[in-house]
């Protein structure tokens, strides 16, 4: 992993950990539903930020190497990216 991206991804993961603990506490305390939903949506946004960092790293490292390796690896990289794209569009 690219060191700067790794540092930022770990930071984001630690923030997410705290957000999830907060969400769990809100549910346990039976707080107002809209507040819980707001927290859940914030977590989803944070996950999106983490995913963006991971995709950036993948593009700058693995995908670049796969494209440089030639046709079979290039096609594999394209298939992986299409799978990630499909997964991100199928979120509910």
């Amino acid at each position: 992993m690219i060191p700067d991206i790794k540092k930022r991804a770990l930071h984001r993961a630690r923030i997410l950990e705290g957000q999830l603990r907060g969400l769990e506490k809100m549910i346990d305390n039976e707080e107002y539903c809209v507040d819980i939903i707001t927290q859940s949506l914030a977590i989803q946004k944070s996950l999106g930020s983490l995913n963006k960092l991971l995709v950036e790293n993948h593009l700058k490292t693995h995908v670049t190497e796969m494209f440089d390796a030639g046709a079979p690896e290039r096609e594999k990289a394209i298939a992986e990216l299409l799978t990630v794209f499909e997964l991100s569009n199928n979120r509910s």
Side-chain angles (χ1 to χ4, degrees):
M1 232 178 168
I2 297 169
D4 178 59
I5 293 176
K6 180 179 180 178
K7 179 181 175 184
R8 291 165 42 211
L10 285 170
H11 178 73
R12 175 58 52 201
R14 289 180 185 115
I15 289 170
L16 277 158
E17 184 179 21
Q19 288 176 310
L20 283 169
R21 279 194 308 269
L23 180 66
E24 182 180 10
K25 185 177 178 182
M26 291 174 80
I27 293 168
D28 191 43
N29 292 339
E30 299 182 18
E31 293 190 23
Y32 188 62
C33 295
V34 173
D35 293 340
I36 296 171
I37 292 167
T38 300
Q39 178 68 6
S40 176
L41 291 170
I43 291 167
Q44 290 178 45
K45 187 168 177 84
S46 291
L47 279 169
S49 296
L50 175 59
N51 288 337
K52 184 178 175 184
L53 286 171
L54 297 174
V55 168
E56 178 185 355
N57 185 78
H58 190 60
L59 289 170
K60 289 181 175 180
T61 58
H62 300 105
V63 172
T64 301
E65 293 168 6
M66 293 169 88
F67 267 67
D68 290 344
E73 288 297 308
R74 182 173 41 246
E75 293 304 315
K76 183 179 174 185
I78 291 168
E80 285 178 350
L81 292 173
L82 287 172
T83 299
V84 169
F85 179 76
E86 288 172 4
L87 288 171
S88 70
N89 285 330
N90 291 331
R91 290 188 334 189
S92 296

Short mmCIF file of all heavy atoms in Angstrom, two decimals, residues 1-11 14 53 56-57 60-61:
data_model
loop_
_atom_site.label_atom_id
_atom_site.label_comp_id
_atom_site.label_asym_id
_atom_site.label_seq_id
_atom_site.Cartn_x
_atom_site.Cartn_y
_atom_site.Cartn_z
N MET A 1 0.84 -1.18 0.00
CA MET A 1 0.00 0.00 0.00
C MET A 1 0.88 1.23 0.00
O MET A 1 1.93 1.26 0.64
CB MET A 1 -0.90 -0.01 1.24
CG MET A 1 -2.33 0.19 0.92
SD MET A 1 -3.39 0.13 2.38
CE MET A 1 -4.81 0.76 1.58
N ILE A 2 0.42 2.25 -0.67
CA ILE A 2 1.13 3.52 -0.68
C ILE A 2 1.07 4.10 0.74
O ILE A 2 -0.03 4.20 1.32
CB ILE A 2 0.50 4.48 -1.71
CG1 ILE A 2 0.65 3.90 -3.12
CG2 ILE A 2 1.12 5.87 -1.61
CD1 ILE A 2 -0.15 4.62 -4.18
N PRO A 3 2.22 4.45 1.32
CA PRO A 3 2.24 4.85 2.74
C PRO A 3 1.25 5.95 3.11
O PRO A 3 0.57 5.84 4.15
CB PRO A 3 3.69 5.31 2.95
CG PRO A 3 4.47 4.51 1.96
CD PRO A 3 3.56 4.39 0.76
N ASP A 4 1.12 7.00 2.31
CA ASP A 4 0.20 8.09 2.64
C ASP A 4 -1.25 7.61 2.61
O ASP A 4 -2.04 7.94 3.50
CB ASP A 4 0.38 9.25 1.66
CG ASP A 4 -0.60 10.37 1.94
OD1 ASP A 4 -0.58 10.91 3.07
OD2 ASP A 4 -1.42 10.68 1.04
N ILE A 5 -1.58 6.80 1.63
CA ILE A 5 -2.95 6.28 1.54
C ILE A 5 -3.22 5.32 2.69
O ILE A 5 -4.30 5.34 3.28
CB ILE A 5 -3.20 5.61 0.17
CG1 ILE A 5 -3.15 6.68 -0.94
CG2 ILE A 5 -4.54 4.88 0.15
CD1 ILE A 5 -3.28 6.13 -2.35
N LYS A 6 -2.24 4.50 3.03
CA LYS A 6 -2.40 3.58 4.17
C LYS A 6 -2.67 4.36 5.45
O LYS A 6 -3.59 4.02 6.21
CB LYS A 6 -1.14 2.73 4.33
CG LYS A 6 -1.23 1.75 5.48
CD LYS A 6 0.03 0.91 5.58
CE LYS A 6 -0.04 -0.05 6.74
NZ LYS A 6 1.15 -0.91 6.80
N LYS A 7 -1.91 5.42 5.67
CA LYS A 7 -2.09 6.24 6.87
C LYS A 7 -3.50 6.84 6.91
O LYS A 7 -4.18 6.80 7.94
CB LYS A 7 -1.03 7.35 6.89
CG LYS A 7 -1.13 8.29 8.07
CD LYS A 7 -0.07 9.37 8.01
CE LYS A 7 -0.25 10.37 9.13
NZ LYS A 7 0.72 11.48 9.03
N ARG A 8 -3.93 7.37 5.78
CA ARG A 8 -5.26 7.98 5.71
C ARG A 8 -6.37 6.93 5.85
O ARG A 8 -7.39 7.18 6.50
CB ARG A 8 -5.40 8.77 4.41
CG ARG A 8 -4.51 10.01 4.43
CD ARG A 8 -4.29 10.67 3.07
NE ARG A 8 -5.45 10.77 2.23
CZ ARG A 8 -5.40 10.74 0.89
NH1 ARG A 8 -4.25 10.61 0.27
NH2 ARG A 8 -6.49 10.84 0.18
N ALA A 9 -6.17 5.75 5.27
CA ALA A 9 -7.18 4.69 5.36
C ALA A 9 -7.30 4.19 6.80
O ALA A 9 -8.41 3.96 7.29
CB ALA A 9 -6.82 3.55 4.42
N LEU A 10 -6.18 4.02 7.48
CA LEU A 10 -6.23 3.59 8.88
C LEU A 10 -6.91 4.64 9.75
O LEU A 10 -7.69 4.30 10.65
CB LEU A 10 -4.81 3.31 9.40
CG LEU A 10 -4.19 2.01 8.91
CD1 LEU A 10 -2.71 1.95 9.29
CD2 LEU A 10 -4.94 0.81 9.46
N HIS A 11 -6.63 5.91 9.47
CA HIS A 11 -7.28 7.00 10.21
C HIS A 11 -8.79 6.94 10.01
O HIS A 11 -9.56 7.03 10.97
CB HIS A 11 -6.71 8.35 9.77
CG HIS A 11 -7.35 9.52 10.43
ND1 HIS A 11 -7.13 9.84 11.75
CD2 HIS A 11 -8.22 10.44 9.95
CE1 HIS A 11 -7.83 10.92 12.06
NE2 HIS A 11 -8.51 11.30 10.98
N ARG A 14 -10.33 4.06 11.89
CA ARG A 14 -10.45 4.33 13.34
C ARG A 14 -11.63 5.26 13.62
O ARG A 14 -12.33 5.10 14.63
CB ARG A 14 -9.14 4.91 13.86
CG ARG A 14 -8.04 3.85 13.90
CD ARG A 14 -6.72 4.38 14.42
NE ARG A 14 -5.71 3.34 14.29
CZ ARG A 14 -4.65 3.42 13.49
NH1 ARG A 14 -4.42 4.52 12.78
NH2 ARG A 14 -3.79 2.42 13.41
N LEU A 53 -10.41 5.82 -0.97
CA LEU A 53 -8.97 5.69 -0.72
C LEU A 53 -8.45 4.33 -1.20
O LEU A 53 -7.38 4.25 -1.80
CB LEU A 53 -8.67 5.85 0.77
CG LEU A 53 -8.75 7.25 1.34
CD1 LEU A 53 -8.63 7.21 2.86
CD2 LEU A 53 -7.67 8.14 0.75
N GLU A 56 -8.30 4.28 -4.95
CA GLU A 56 -7.15 5.09 -5.38
C GLU A 56 -5.87 4.28 -5.28
O GLU A 56 -5.05 4.26 -6.21
CB GLU A 56 -7.05 6.36 -4.54
CG GLU A 56 -5.87 7.22 -4.89
CD GLU A 56 -5.70 8.44 -3.98
OE1 GLU A 56 -6.56 8.68 -3.10
OE2 GLU A 56 -4.70 9.15 -4.17
N ASN A 57 -5.67 3.62 -4.14
CA ASN A 57 -4.47 2.82 -3.96
C ASN A 57 -4.41 1.69 -4.99
O ASN A 57 -3.37 1.44 -5.60
CB ASN A 57 -4.42 2.23 -2.55
CG ASN A 57 -3.13 1.50 -2.30
OD1 ASN A 57 -2.11 2.12 -2.04
ND2 ASN A 57 -3.16 0.18 -2.40
N LYS A 60 -3.45 3.03 -8.41
CA LYS A 60 -2.07 3.50 -8.49
C LYS A 60 -1.04 2.38 -8.37
O LYS A 60 0.11 2.56 -8.74
CB LYS A 60 -1.80 4.55 -7.41
CG LYS A 60 -2.49 5.87 -7.69
CD LYS A 60 -2.18 6.90 -6.62
CE LYS A 60 -2.78 8.24 -6.97
NZ LYS A 60 -2.49 9.26 -5.94
N THR A 61 -1.46 1.24 -7.84
CA THR A 61 -0.51 0.14 -7.64
C THR A 61 -0.87 -1.06 -8.52
O THR A 61 -0.31 -1.23 -9.59
CB THR A 61 -0.45 -0.27 -6.16
OG1 THR A 61 -1.76 -0.65 -5.71
CG2 THR A 61 0.08 0.85 -5.29
#
